[in-house]
Amino acid sequence: MQVDRYCFKMGTLLVYLFLVGRTSVFAQSITASNFHVGGTSVKIGEGANMVLKEGLFVENSASFINNGNIYLDNEEEETLKINTLLDGKGIYYIYGVADYTFVGTEAGISSLSINGGNTLWLENDLAVTNSLILEDGIIEVADDHILEVQSADADAISFNNSIDNTSFVRGTVERNIALGNEYSFPLGTSAEGFHPFLIGNISSEGYVGVTYEPNFSSTWNSLGTEVELEEIGGWKVTTTESNISFIPGLSLYNINSVLDGDYNIFYSEIPDVISPEFSLDFNSRTEGTNLISGDNYAAGTFALAKIITTTVGVDGIPVPELVNFIVKNGDGRTTFEVPGIYNYSSVSLAVYDRFGNLVYKSNNYANDFDSKSYRAGTYFYELILKTTEDESIVLRNIIEIMERN
């Protein structure tokens, strides 16, 4: 096969390149307006730089190896059409001032850097084999498609993890995960800002995909439950293997500030449905700018929850401290107990399931709401205590019924 060797200095050539039928080796630097590769082999050597002022088109019959740097430096909207793996150890820099649209099937790029302040629109799946560098600009992934990072290195995706970060992914990011690592997913939207997601304590290897859902909270809150979700949205998490579990970390970033309040992790195991089936994690804790769970979870939808609770009493009257977790099996207590219940002249309790249905009612409560009679899950209660002075204490909160494995 004939080999053509191009050895141009940067800025000396501005042409439309169409290569087919021979091997081309770029050993130094070249600038071109457009690059179309079909039925041939192209190699970019180490230390070589290629600047493309317009688009890049690589057909599936081509072999393309980049061990240098390719700068996609467009001034007008252009298209990247890639139908094969662009192999090698080099980096592709989305560097121009205008947007790029990516199309192509079974496409892969060695390393990708977004640093021109523009947007890369992915209309098909794209695999990044080594590293994704987010410095300045957004990657928009179309619905039902993914941006896949194949390296299991925890630092395979690098980004600025601060509230004012403007370089992230809108859509689904899927990462290859390995035991012992902690992984971040840099997600957000132009309107809602930066909302990353964190996973750790991974149970097994595989791929985890995360999508930020900006409207999830609003849709959920329209169900009218006693649990109110924070308006920043939610995160949908999927896994390639059903046995993968992890500890989730939910970002506390709002658009202009870090949320400060008493939040719990909301979890629904049905990722694609706004379902009334959910649980609340009361073992979650704030670490930096994340709400971290103390337990492992499988795939599902996560959000920040605020429980609408009320305590109405009279100054000077102590409010009983209630334990809102009941294990329905095992040797422990299975009833919902009010401390010092006999010190009140009357006690009434109403309990509702997550659908808002009344499942228990007593106007003469005697610590006899027994979790053995109910399925595991989250319930809501209204407890009214009357003191001997005929003053009322009203408590509204949740009861979490759990099963011991």
Side-chain angles (χ1 to χ4, degrees):
M1 176 176 286
Q2 181 178 353
V3 177
D4 287 351
R5 183 175 297 274
Y6 296 86
C7 299
F8 296 103
K9 293 183 178 180
M10 186 70 71
T12 60
L13 183 66
L14 185 57
V15 295
Y16 175 92
L17 289 180
F18 180 83
L19 301 180
V20 62
R22 59 185 65 186
T23 297
S24 300
V25 180
F26 294 89
Q28 293 184 22
S29 301
I30 186 171
T31 297
S33 61
N34 240 322
F35 202 15
H36 186 169
V37 183
T40 188
S41 297
V42 173
K43 296 181 180 179
I44 312 296
E46 291 186 22
N49 297 306
M50 173 176 284
V51 178
L52 299 179
K53 293 293 186 179
E54 295 181 18
L56 174 63
F57 180 14
V58 183
E59 298 179 5
N60 58 7
S61 56
S63 172
F64 197 104
I65 300 173
N66 172 32
N67 289 316
N69 299 305
I70 295 181
Y71 296 89
L72 298 156
D73 189 16
N74 59 316
E75 295 182 357
E76 297 181 358
E77 293 186 16
E78 295 292 345
T79 298
L80 306 176
K81 188 173 183 180
I82 302 170
N83 294 311
T84 187
L85 170 64
L86 306 187
D87 210 347
K89 300 179 180 179
I91 300 178
Y92 294 80
Y93 293 89
I94 305 297
Y95 199 72
V97 296
D99 295 348
Y100 272 106
T101 298
F102 170 86
V103 294
T105 57
E106 299 182 3
I109 287 180
S110 52
S111 293
L112 179 63
S113 174
I114 307 295
N115 57 7
N118 52 10
T119 299
L120 175 63
W121 301 85
L122 300 187
E123 295 187 357
N124 296 93
D125 297 346
L126 176 63
V128 177
T129 56
N130 295 322
S131 63
L132 174 63
I133 306 163
L134 297 169
E135 293 186 4
D136 187 13
I138 294 175
I139 301 178
E140 292 265 359
V141 184
D143 293 343
D144 300 322
H145 292 283
I146 63 171
L147 173 62
E148 177 186 286
V149 178
Q150 296 179 340
S151 171
D153 190 334
D155 297 323
I157 301 180
S158 61
F159 59 96
N160 173 24
N161 190 4
S162 64
I163 193 169
D164 58 353
N165 177 28
T166 58
S167 189
F168 44 76
V169 180
R170 180 188 179 277
T172 301
V173 176
E174 188 173 272
R175 300 195 64 169
N176 189 10
I177 60 172
L179 302 181
N181 287 340
E182 187 176 80
Y183 295 90
S184 294
F185 294 77
L187 301 163
T189 75
S190 298
E192 286 81 12
F194 179 51
H195 297 288
F197 193 83
L198 182 71
I199 65 170
N201 197 41
I202 298 160
S203 65
S204 57
E205 298 179 349
Y207 278 84
V208 173
V210 182
T211 308
Y212 172 60
E213 301 284 354
N215 298 319
F216 178 80
S217 301
S218 298
T219 306
W220 167 265
N221 291 339
S222 67
L223 296 177
T225 73
E226 292 287 328
V227 171
E228 189 80 9
L229 300 189
E230 173 58 43
E231 287 295 337
I232 64 169
W235 295 265
K236 182 177 72 174
V237 181
T238 58
T239 57
T240 57
E241 307 295 332
S242 60
N243 62 335
I244 294 177
S245 66
F246 52 87
I247 286 181
L250 283 59
S251 171
L252 294 171
Y253 288 149
N254 204 341
I255 296 178
N256 299 312
S257 62
V258 178
L259 295 173
D260 182 17
D262 186 13
Y263 296 100
N264 301 102
I265 291 179
F266 166 97
Y267 170 71
S268 173
E269 64 181 8
I270 309 175
D272 296 314
V273 180
I274 304 298
S275 170
E277 297 289 330
F278 69 96
S279 63
L280 293 175
D281 185 346
F282 296 93
N283 293 321
S284 53
R285 65 194 183 280
T286 300
E287 289 187 5
T289 57
N290 288 283
L291 186 67
I292 308 291
S293 174
D295 302 310
N296 270 44
Y297 285 83
T301 300
F302 298 83
L304 295 172
K306 266 190 174 181
I307 307 165
I308 301 175
T309 61
T310 57
T311 302
V312 181
V314 179
D315 291 343
I317 299 177
V319 176
E321 295 184 4
L322 304 177
V323 176
N324 295 46
F325 304 90
I326 308 173
V327 178
K328 63 180 297 180
N329 55 350
D331 300 328
R333 175 180 59 84
T334 62
T335 58
F336 178 66
E337 293 189 2
V338 179
I341 190 171
Y342 299 111
N343 295 326
Y344 301 97
S345 61
S346 69
V347 178
S348 63
L349 176 68
V351 180
Y352 302 84
D353 66 15
R354 59 171 58 94
F355 300 99
N357 300 315
L358 182 67
V359 297
Y360 178 89
K361 175 70 174 179
S362 173
N363 292 322
N364 189 24
Y365 186 60
N367 286 343
D368 49 3
F369 175 78
D370 196 334
S371 61
K372 291 181 178 179
S373 303
Y374 302 91
R375 58 177 294 184
T378 305
Y379 296 80
F380 309 92
Y381 71 81
E382 179 180 72
L383 178 67
I384 302 176
L385 309 172
K386 283 288 187 70
T387 69
T388 55
E389 289 78 21
D390 204 31
E391 303 288 355
S392 295
I393 300 173
V394 181
L395 301 173
R396 297 184 182 94
N397 210 319
I398 70 163
I399 301 172
E400 184 79 11
I401 297 178
M402 298 176 289
E403 287 184 311
R404 193 184 307 277
N405 294 329

